[in-house]
Amino acid sequence: MHETPDPISFIRFMGKACLLIIICFGTVSVAKTQSMRRMFILSTYAQPLYRDATKSELKNIAPDADLQVKYRDFLDDDNTGLTRLVADKGCSENPNVISAAEECLKYSMPGGGSSFSFRTKNYRLDRLADITYTNNSFQATGNFLHGIFVNIGDTPLKNVTIQIKELEFLVGYTPPTNLKNAKRANEIFSKGLIFKGLIHRRALYIQENTTFALRSIAFRGKQYRAVAGVTYNELDFDKRRDIIVVFRIVRKSDDDSITILWKILVEKTSPRLKP
């Protein structure tokens, strides 16, 4: 014979079961809601900071047509480019605020047209860029990044390979893998390091009829930022690579913009920087 369950006990049992179901599904609902809120905030407020320049923005900053024709054969290589940089006018000091200045409205892409990433082949915020044109100089302004410039003289880009003696230091340099040593190296390159008569620095003055080389090491790691109460790793929005690129100014315009012709010689995985 089956024993008839006590009604009170049965009701208590079912109540506990229902409560458990409510708790479980309630937790899932809250977690899902939090995830959706995070995605909404990042897509609305964070991702626009790391977008590519639009077609209309690229049109405003496009290199002169005659230069595109002149270097057409050189630009057939996927690892090359012709890029116009405008002098930094402070348009990108606060990426969350669009300046009403006429020039800033014209160059509304991330970085205000003065900061460029060879790694992504697009304009970027200065803190994620490989190169920034400011104060009549080329500067490595990226965070979690070693940028080492060297002036190798009036050497045609087509003649530059990683075997030439002027690139010996850039090619042979072994980057640090911990934050303490990276900071120490950054201080050294900010002051300048001389190797076989050539100065290697985080910044060099621009110079026409001159070829420059840059080793840009965009370390992988964690660089946290927050927006609307949501914390995220900014480096997740970037292409972190270790590159060697050579470039030269092919035109300096009356509006203080410059056009550079460039070629990436080496591209590889960058090291992860540990705290």
Side-chain angles (χ1 to χ4, degrees), residues 25-58:
F25 279 89
T27 302
V28 171
S29 178
V30 169
K32 186 175 182 180
T33 300
Q34 290 176 338
S35 177
M36 291 176 64
R37 175 181 177 273
R38 175 182 174 82
M39 291 174 61
F40 172 77
I41 289 176
L42 292 181
S43 63
T44 304
Y45 299 105
Q47 287 181 348
L49 300 176
Y50 314 108
R51 66 177 177 84
D52 289 341
T54 65
K55 289 184 178 180
S56 61
E57 289 170 335
L58 290 175

Side-chain angles (χ1 to χ4, degrees), residues 174-273:
T174 301
T177 56
N178 69 74
L179 190 58
K180 182 178 179 180
N181 290 340
K183 288 181 177 179
R184 185 180 297 117
N186 197 48
E187 292 173 358
I188 292 173
F189 292 122
S190 293
K191 296 177 181 178
L193 183 151
I194 297 177
F195 179 82
K196 295 188 176 180
L198 296 176
I199 188 166
H200 298 73
R201 297 186 71 235
R202 277 185 67 90
L204 288 177
Y205 284 110
I206 68 169
Q207 190 173 339
E208 297 182 79
N209 303 314
T210 300
T211 295
F212 294 85
L214 166 66
R215 174 88 180 266
S216 186
I217 307 163
F219 293 100
R220 292 174 295 138
K222 304 291 185 182
Q223 179 72 31
Y224 288 110
R225 290 191 174 271
V227 58
V230 173
T231 302
Y232 65 97
N233 180 18
E234 184 171 55
L235 303 188
D236 289 340
F237 291 87
D238 192 34
K239 181 182 180 182
R240 312 301 289 178
R241 301 289 286 170
D242 180 355
I243 64 170
I244 296 178
V245 59
V246 291
F247 63 94
R248 61 188 287 134
I249 298 173
V250 292
R251 177 159 296 167
K252 193 174 188 299
S253 304
D254 294 337
D255 63 357
D256 204 24
S257 68
I258 58 174
T259 302
I260 60 173
L261 185 69
W262 53 269
K263 180 177 182 178
I264 296 176
L265 299 180
V266 176
E267 180 177 354
K268 57 186 178 181
T269 301
S270 59
R272 182 175 295 278
L273 200 58

Side-chain angles (χ1 to χ4, degrees), residues 51-185:
R51 66 177 177 84
D52 289 341
T54 65
K55 289 184 178 180
S56 61
E57 289 170 335
L58 290 175
K59 184 178 180 180
N60 287 336
I61 202 171
D64 295 331
D66 65 310
L67 291 178
Q68 298 181 50
V69 172
K70 181 178 180 179
Y71 298 109
R72 181 169 50 199
D73 292 340
F74 180 87
L75 295 170
D76 282 341
D77 191 326
D78 290 338
N79 293 318
T80 60
L82 184 68
T83 302
R84 184 166 157 242
L85 298 172
V86 298
D88 181 21
K89 298 293 193 301
C91 296
S92 60
E93 287 182 358
N94 186 345
N96 296 306
V97 177
I98 299 177
S99 172
E102 182 178 352
E103 190 163 13
C104 294
L105 292 175
K106 183 178 180 181
Y107 305 118
S108 55
M109 70 282 287
S114 59
S115 297
F116 187 80
S117 168
F118 297 111
R119 291 170 285 114
T120 63
K121 300 179 181 177
N122 219 306
Y123 296 91
R124 282 289 180 268
L125 297 174
D126 59 357
R127 62 177 184 258
L128 293 178
D130 294 306
I131 186 171
T132 294
Y133 172 40
T134 182
N135 296 325
N136 206 38
S137 65
F138 296 120
Q139 297 189 19
T141 52
N143 291 343
F144 257 58
L145 180 144
H146 272 356
I148 311 169
F149 291 96
V150 61
N151 180 332
I152 63 175
D154 190 11
T155 305
L157 286 181
K158 63 181 181 180
N159 295 341
V160 180
T161 68
I162 59 173
Q163 283 79 31
I164 66 172
K165 58 183 178 57
E166 291 85 354
L167 297 187
E168 183 179 348
F169 179 82
L170 294 188
V171 173
Y173 176 69
T174 301
T177 56
N178 69 74
L179 190 58
K180 182 178 179 180
N181 290 340
K183 288 181 177 179
R184 185 180 297 117

Side-chain angles (χ1 to χ4, degrees), residues 2-17:
H2 293 285
E3 186 176 330
T4 303
D6 175 51
I8 301 300
S9 300
F10 181 74
I11 291 173
R12 287 176 177 171
F13 170 77
M14 291 302 296
K16 290 180 180 178

